[in-house]
Structure formats: C-alpha cells, structure tokens
Amino acid sequence: MKLGSVEHKELFCRSFTESYREYEPEYVPWPDLDDAGLSFLRSIPFWEKALDTERQAGAIVSGYAQTVSDRILQAAIALQGQEELRHARLLKTLIDRYGIEMPERPPVEVPQNLEPIFTRFGFEECLDTFFAYGLFAIAREANVFPESIFTIFDPIIDEETRHIVFFVNWFTYTQIQRGQGFFPLRSTKTLWHYGKALSNLIAVFGNDDASRTVLLLPALTSLLKT
C-alpha cells in the first residue's frame, strides 16, 4: 500500500471508525471516595484547564469536519469531534459528581480557517498524551484513587491513542495529496510542527499550577510507598 493513496486513506479512516466504542459519561459507575481521596481530587488545580481544553478541542475538530469535502475523511473527523466533546462531558460529570468547585465556563468560540488550528491541535495532542500517560501511570501505581476510577479512564486513553494514529496518517496523506510528499520536506514540516507544540507545552508547564501538579504526583507516590 502506498502512502497518500486512496487505499491508505480508506484504511486509516476505517480503522478509526471501526474501533469506536459507545458509552455515555452520565451513566459511568463513579465510585464513592473517602475523605482523603476526595480532598486530593478537589485539590488538583488543572480541572478548569482540562475541561476548557476538551470543550475547545471538540469545537475545533467538529467545526473542521464541516469544512472537509472528502466524504470518508469528513465522517472520521466528525467522529473524532464527537469523542472530544464526550471527553468534555466526562470531565464535567466527574466535576459535578465529586463537588469540585468551578466557576461557570465561558462559551467556546470557534475561530475561522480551522485547518491550521486542527493541525496544531493534532501535534500538541501527540506530545500532551506522552506526558499525560506517564502521570496517569504514576497515579495508578500509587493507588491515589480506587482502581475503578482508573478503569473509567482506560477507554479515554484508548481514544486518545486512536486520535494520534488517525492524525499522523491524516497529516501524511494530506501532505502527499497536495504535492508535498517529498520525504525530507515532509519531515521538516513535521519537526517544525512538533517544535511549535513543544514550545506551547513548555509554556503550559511554566504555569505554577501545572508545575505543582506535575511535582505533586511523584511526591505522593514516594509518600504512599514509604
């Protein structure tokens, strides 16, 4: 199979849509937490940022899907948009279920010219999940919360992984279709996008709240294992 071919497009789109899992966040069996677990959950400072990010992601991906003329690509990207919006619903359900205080979130604004924003979002997601998976594993090994909490988020990890696989294939396919398939050129563009994504990630981790969270979980792991 040749990269950038119709067969390539059909394969990565079909793989994405056929691996879709149906569930409703509102009916997830959230466990009861003891006072210590509840206090720790409420003290995590990134809930607002996480919820806003997922809401924005859903709006961006769903909005971009409406601009895509290719029927097969459009259906797959629209499905990703549904999953991103479902992630936001899952977080909102968790926030409400455990009484995490949060001010009313502002409406999501969808910008114009969405393809560059969709592309930037895709590369940022590739990097973000690399660190998020590590933090998730640290928290799981430390038994910070009941295992049933982590089990709820296992499908989210699967979905984020599917998003990454779909995105890197979409980017490759799109570049080749536009006559930019020369490998050194494609690699240079990819590195440039990853550089931008890394600089944005560094800016986020420079935020005091994010830095405290990153440092908190390993410290908690050490404490609980002593």
Side-chain angles (χ1 to χ4, degrees), residues 3-116:
L3 289 177
S5 65
V6 172
E7 292 78 15
H8 176 214
K9 176 189 70 176
E10 291 176 345
L11 177 60
F12 72 77
C13 289
R14 184 173 66 252
S15 298
F16 184 76
T17 55
E18 290 181 352
S19 57
Y20 172 77
R21 292 180 59 179
E22 183 65 55
Y23 66 90
E24 296 298 329
E26 293 79 6
Y27 298 104
V28 166
W30 299 99
D32 294 329
L33 299 179
D34 59 24
D35 290 342
L38 193 58
S39 177
F40 177 69
L41 185 72
R42 291 171 176 171
S43 71
I44 295 175
F46 57 57
W47 293 119
E48 290 184 22
K49 177 66 174 176
L51 180 58
D52 289 347
T53 298
E54 293 296 349
R55 292 171 66 232
Q56 186 72 23
I60 290 171
V61 178
S62 298
Y64 175 61
Q66 297 176 18
T67 71
V68 176
S69 58
D70 185 292
R71 180 179 57 83
I72 296 175
L73 285 174
Q74 194 275 336
I77 296 170
L79 181 61
Q80 181 184 345
Q82 293 177 28
E83 292 183 359
E84 298 288 3
L85 290 170
R86 188 168 61 181
H87 291 177
R89 287 168 51 208
L90 185 74
L91 285 176
K92 185 63 169 63
T93 303
L94 178 149
I95 288 164
D96 293 342
R97 169 69 174 80
Y98 295 113
I100 299 171
E101 294 186 1
M102 183 180 300
E104 189 72 22
R105 310 316 301 152
V108 175
E109 296 183 3
V110 181
Q112 301 295 317
N113 191 20
L114 280 169
E115 184 170 305

Side-chain angles (χ1 to χ4, degrees), residues 26 55 68 82 145 174 182 201 221:
E26 293 79 6
R55 292 171 66 232
V68 176
Q82 293 177 28
F145 302 114
T174 302
F182 182 52
L201 184 64
T221 303

Side-chain angles (χ1 to χ4, degrees), residues 144-210:
V144 174
F145 302 114
E147 175 61 24
S148 52
I149 284 269
F150 294 101
T151 302
I152 288 171
F153 281 91
D154 282 335
I156 310 303
I157 290 180
D158 291 341
E159 287 177 2
E160 295 292 0
T161 304
R162 289 169 55 254
H163 294 176
I164 291 171
V165 173
F166 175 79
F167 172 75
V168 296
N169 279 278
W170 168 85
F171 184 76
T172 299
Y173 171 82
T174 302
Q175 295 302 300
I176 293 174
Q177 284 290 305
R178 293 174 178 172
Q180 301 173 2
F182 182 52
F183 182 75
L185 175 61
R186 203 169 73 238
S187 298
T188 300
K189 291 191 68 173
T190 299
L191 287 173
W192 183 86
H193 282 294
Y194 273 126
K196 292 287 290 182
L198 183 59
S199 66
N200 290 336
L201 184 64
I202 291 171
V204 170
F205 275 83
N207 177 275
D208 289 341
D209 285 345

